[in-house]
């Protein structure tokens, strides 16, 4: 399972002109699911996401988590995080989980974030989504769990 976390001051997800999810100060999470991922992987990644200290403290050091700042999360399913471009100019997505499996683990990941006490906005699984965000820092971190 792979997540790209962007520290944001705000982010919105729009599908067909309708806002489906948003966050104020917090994280935009792009989540990719691989075939071998499990519910335990989703829970572990959600825990790490909630506790990762990438927000500034009073001294300007990255020492606070999204939980610490009272922030929220906008979570977007992103199979393209598993794009393989080694074989040419057209990406292969064979490293991504099947849509049914990815949908299930995306839901479990979001539920696990909520269990950490976070407000979670979501995109629409499988839809063409338009993301609008203001990256804070900018800070972008990639988390990989086996």
């Amino acid at each position: 399972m792979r997540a790209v976390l962007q520290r944001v001051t705000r982010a919105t997800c729009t599908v067909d002109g309708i806002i489906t999810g948003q966050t104020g100060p917090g994280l935009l999470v792009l989540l990719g699911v691989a075939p071998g991922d499990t519910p335990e992987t989703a829970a572990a990644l959600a825990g790490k996401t909630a506790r990762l200290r990438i927000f500034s403290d009073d001294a300007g050091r990255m020492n606070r988590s999204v939980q610490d700042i009272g922030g929220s999360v906008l979570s977007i399913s992103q199979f393209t995080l598993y794009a393989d471009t080694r074989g040419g100019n057209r990406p292969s997505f064979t490293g991504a989980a099947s849509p049914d499996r990815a949908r299930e683990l995306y839901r479990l990941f979001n539920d696990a974030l909520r269990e950490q006490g976070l407000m979670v906005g979501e995109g629409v699984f499988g839809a063409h989504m338009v993301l609008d965000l203001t990256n804070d820092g900018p800070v972008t971190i990639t988390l990989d769990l086996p």
Side-chain angles (χ1 to χ4, degrees):
M1 192 167 265
R2 179 175 294 158
V4 174
L5 282 57
Q6 293 184 307
R7 190 176 78 183
V8 297
T9 56
R10 57 149 206 89
T12 59
C13 176
T14 306
V15 176
D16 296 329
I18 298 169
I19 294 175
T20 64
Q22 59 189 342
T23 185
L27 295 173
L28 170 63
V29 176
L30 306 176
L31 181 73
V33 179
D37 290 334
T38 65
E40 293 77 20
T41 309
L45 187 61
K48 185 152 183 110
T49 298
R51 293 185 300 274
L52 192 66
R53 298 182 329 188
I54 61 172
F55 291 88
S56 299
D57 63 14
D58 293 338
R61 300 185 65 194
M62 282 197 246
N63 202 27
R64 300 177 77 201
S65 70
V66 68
Q67 291 173 315
D68 294 334
I69 68 158
S72 57
V73 175
L74 174 58
S75 175
I76 305 295
S77 176
Q78 189 79 29
F79 76 94
T80 59
L81 291 179
Y82 282 101
D84 182 352
T85 58
R86 294 175 292 177
N89 294 322
R90 185 168 186 239
S92 167
F93 299 105
T94 58
S98 70
D100 288 342
R101 183 68 173 157
R103 182 188 316 268
E104 173 191 359
L105 292 177
Y106 172 63
R107 181 186 57 78
L108 291 174
F109 173 80
N110 292 336
D111 289 347
L113 287 174
R114 289 181 182 104
E115 289 172 8
Q116 299 282 327
L118 295 169
M119 299 259 315
V120 180
E122 297 182 12
V124 176
F125 188 93
H128 179 90
M129 295 174 271
V130 176
L131 301 179
D132 183 30
L133 66 125
T134 302
N135 192 301
D136 180 22
V139 174
T140 303
I141 306 284
T142 301
L143 298 178
D144 284 300
L145 290 184

